[in-house]
Amino acid sequence: ELIKIAQESFLGALKDRSDDIKDFIIQRARGFLIEELSKENRDYATNFADSVFATGGRDILDIFARAHTLLPLRKENEHEFESLVTAFKRASNIVKKADGKKTRILDAAKIALLTLPVEQALVRQVHDVKAFIIQGANQGHSIHDLKVRYRDIFGHITSIKPKLDAFFDQVMVMVDDEKLKDARLALLSEIKTIADKIADFTHL
């Protein structure tokens, strides 16, 4: 709304520049966030800021809430946090390497191909976490409410890790069977989508 008012005030001089203005605001917001996070941990401020901005959202309040939730969680349990980041990075990197920008959907047909117990357990956990995220989608929008919500989401996301570790230990994703490979990649893609609700862990 403010950009629209500015465009009208400048009598068309800013016409068709909305995206440029929004990009400028996002870059300035990133700078402010890095400055704020540096007060907590200067070494990780830039990485954590980039991780939340990389998910593509433009809601600055939401972005700041995620960053200010994530960094303290790392401080609370550094070893567990880094272990979680490693697992989600691995899932994300496999998807990116195999797909590029291709979108894979974990539909019923693909789930039917995932017959191994570790696959089925991971699918169930992913569905449970996804349901929790959807259920609480409209619960408050203050900075406090958002931080509480993202702490809860992070707690649920961590529940995926043990089953994801077991999946990696027992399953080869890049198999010759194209349909099975596609199903396993779709599962990992779904996990990346869930993780992106908090941040792009490849930046951490």
Side-chain angles (χ1 to χ4, degrees), residues 48-87:
F48 275 78
D50 286 342
S51 74
V52 292
F53 274 101
T55 58
R58 290 203 168 199
D59 183 333
I60 294 175
L61 181 65
D62 183 82
I63 290 169
F64 275 51
R66 285 187 279 125
H68 281 293
T69 301
L70 203 59
L71 187 54
L73 285 170
R74 181 193 180 278
K75 186 177 181 181
E76 288 175 15
N77 194 326
E78 182 177 340
H79 176 73
E80 183 178 330
F81 187 91
E82 293 300 331
S83 179
L84 181 74
V85 168
T86 298

Side-chain angles (χ1 to χ4, degrees), residues 146-160:
L146 287 170
K147 287 168 75 173
V148 169
R149 171 164 163 70
Y150 282 123
R151 177 174 279 270
D152 287 343
I153 288 175
F154 184 83
H156 279 73
I157 288 175
T158 60
S159 70
I160 294 174

Side-chain angles (χ1 to χ4, degrees), residues 52-195:
V52 292
F53 274 101
T55 58
R58 290 203 168 199
D59 183 333
I60 294 175
L61 181 65
D62 183 82
I63 290 169
F64 275 51
R66 285 187 279 125
H68 281 293
T69 301
L70 203 59
L71 187 54
L73 285 170
R74 181 193 180 278
K75 186 177 181 181
E76 288 175 15
N77 194 326
E78 182 177 340
H79 176 73
E80 183 178 330
F81 187 91
E82 293 300 331
S83 179
L84 181 74
V85 168
T86 298
F88 283 117
K89 270 186 179 180
R90 184 176 179 184
S92 181
N93 287 334
I94 290 172
V95 171
K96 287 181 178 179
K97 185 176 180 180
D99 293 346
K101 294 184 178 181
K102 181 178 179 181
T103 301
R104 293 180 187 268
I105 306 299
L106 185 64
D107 55 24
K110 291 187 178 68
I111 291 173
L113 297 172
L114 302 173
T115 58
L116 296 176
V118 289
E119 293 174 321
Q120 294 173 343
L122 183 55
V123 168
R124 287 193 297 271
Q125 194 64 41
V126 166
H127 280 175
D128 287 347
V129 174
K130 190 174 180 179
F132 172 81
I133 292 172
I134 293 171
Q135 183 180 17
N138 297 314
Q139 293 180 354
H141 295 285
S142 71
I143 188 70
H144 172 74
D145 290 340
L146 287 170
K147 287 168 75 173
V148 169
R149 171 164 163 70
Y150 282 123
R151 177 174 279 270
D152 287 343
I153 288 175
F154 184 83
H156 279 73
I157 288 175
T158 60
S159 70
I160 294 174
K161 183 184 178 296
K163 294 176 176 61
L164 180 58
D165 287 342
F167 174 86
F168 283 139
D169 286 343
Q170 301 178 44
V171 174
M172 176 69 71
V173 177
M174 307 305 286
V175 292
D176 293 333
D177 185 325
E178 287 295 326
K179 288 186 177 180
L180 181 57
K181 179 175 71 174
D182 188 62
R184 288 171 176 171
L185 285 169
L187 176 55
L188 294 182
S189 181
E190 187 81 352
I191 290 169
K192 182 186 184 308
T193 299
I194 289 172

Side-chain angles (χ1 to χ4, degrees), residues 15-62:
K15 185 179 180 181
D16 300 325
R17 299 298 300 274
S18 292
D19 288 342
D20 292 337
I21 296 169
K22 289 174 184 176
D23 288 342
F24 171 78
I25 292 172
I26 288 294
Q27 286 304 313
R28 293 300 300 131
R30 175 181 174 274
F32 281 121
L33 180 57
I34 290 172
E35 185 177 338
E36 285 189 3
L37 295 178
S38 293
K39 297 173 184 177
E40 298 182 48
N41 191 314
R42 182 172 296 275
D43 293 336
Y44 294 97
T46 300
N47 288 349
F48 275 78
D50 286 342
S51 74
V52 292
F53 274 101
T55 58
R58 290 203 168 199
D59 183 333
I60 294 175
L61 181 65
D62 183 82

